Amino acid sequence: MSKLNVAPTKSNLLAIKEQLSVSIEGYELLEQKREILVMELMHLVEKVKLLEKKMDKCIEKAYPSLKKMLVTVGSDRSEQIARNVHYDFNLEEKSLVVAGMEFTTLDVHLPEIELFYSFRGTFPSTDEVTTNFFELLTILTQLAGIRTIVWRLANEVEKTQRRVNALDKMIIPQSKETVKYIESVLEERDRENIFVLKSLKARNL
């Protein structure tokens, strides 16, 4: 590891030692932050996996029920029913604190499920499709919100890891090498000064 390009003076030695101390402290804090972020990230990833399993199970119910409805009711009647379905979804921006960091995400407020068609001319399969797809939509909105946080948290972990690596692999070793170099130069100068003083003293005797 190459040293810093500074003059080997006592003032520079003190400055580099101070910088080294700050760098080591910063490295330790960033390493702790990285570990906390990784733990939170893994926790959220597990949540995503659980929601994905729920989504898969819901899809296994929703699409067969839709197929059943199309066979029972017919495509034309299914289209008429679908056109009458209107839901207002409220989107709210909210702040979420994860591992001491604030993230902005969207919170989706789903309305209560209701029927937008008359009982005449419909079948139980119609209600089943509405219920299944509303459940699927609920899971998808939850999944979207958590995935957004996971993506941002993963970026923060990557950014923190780069800083940790820079301190560990470059800045700290470089500062240590510079301290070692300056100390060796100053020690050599001290020895030379002692030798000169001894020589001058010997001449004066």
Side-chain angles (χ1 to χ4, degrees):
M1 175 60 64
S2 60
K3 59 181 176 60
L4 295 169
N5 187 22
V6 295
T9 62
K10 288 183 178 180
S11 60
N12 282 340
L13 177 62
L14 292 173
I16 299 299
K17 280 185 173 181
E18 179 65 24
Q19 177 183 314
L20 178 59
S21 176
V22 170
S23 297
I24 291 172
E25 184 179 352
Y27 168 79
E28 291 171 352
L29 290 173
L30 282 173
E31 182 62 22
Q32 290 175 13
K33 176 185 175 181
R34 187 193 66 81
E35 290 176 0
I36 292 170
L37 289 174
V38 169
M39 287 175 61
E40 290 289 343
L41 181 60
M42 295 307 296
H43 177 66
L44 287 175
V45 167
E46 286 302 314
K47 276 190 175 181
V48 168
K49 287 180 180 178
L50 289 173
L51 281 172
E52 285 176 343
K53 285 181 181 178
K54 287 178 69 176
M55 179 186 68
D56 290 340
K57 287 181 180 178
C58 194
I59 288 173
E60 287 175 4
K61 291 189 303 179
Y63 284 95
S65 67
L66 176 60
K67 185 177 179 180
K68 180 182 175 183
M69 174 183 169
L70 289 170
V71 171
T72 306
V73 181
S75 59
D76 291 340
R77 181 60 182 149
S78 297
E79 260 189 69
Q80 286 178 346
I81 293 170
R83 280 197 293 267
N84 289 328
V85 176
H86 301 286
Y87 281 108
D88 292 325
F89 302 101
N90 296 320
L91 296 177
E92 180 186 356
E93 188 178 280
K94 70 172 185 178
S95 295
L96 186 66
V97 178
V98 179
M101 302 181 62
E102 188 174 350
F103 296 93
T104 302
T105 185
L106 288 177
D107 197 9
V108 183
H109 299 285
L110 299 174
E112 292 292 328
I113 186 170
E114 56 181 301
L115 303 181
F116 291 88
Y117 43 83
S118 67
F119 289 104
R120 294 180 61 189
T122 60
F123 299 84
S125 58
T126 306
D127 296 344
E128 187 182 352
V129 169
T130 305
T131 302
N132 287 341
F133 274 90
F134 195 87
E135 182 185 351
L136 179 58
L137 183 60
T138 303
I139 294 171
L140 287 172
T141 55
Q142 293 172 356
L143 192 56
I146 294 179
R147 276 180 170 169
T148 300
I149 298 299
V150 166
W151 180 74
R152 292 178 181 174
L153 199 57
N155 282 342
E156 192 62 36
V157 169
E158 185 180 356
K159 192 192 305 180
T160 304
Q161 185 64 60
R162 284 199 300 267
R163 292 173 180 170
V164 167
N165 289 342
L167 286 167
D168 185 43
K169 306 298 182 184
M170 186 175 68
I171 297 174
I172 291 176
Q174 197 174 48
S175 296
K176 285 181 177 179
E177 192 65 28
T178 304
V179 167
K180 184 179 176 182
Y181 163 72
I182 294 176
E183 285 179 341
S184 66
V185 170
L186 293 178
E187 286 173 4
E188 183 62 29
R189 285 178 183 171
D190 287 340
R191 284 194 292 270
E192 289 176 359
N193 289 336
I194 291 171
F195 176 77
V196 169
L197 288 173
K198 284 183 177 179
S199 298
L200 290 173
K201 186 176 181 181
R203 286 181 184 178
N204 292 331
L205 290 178

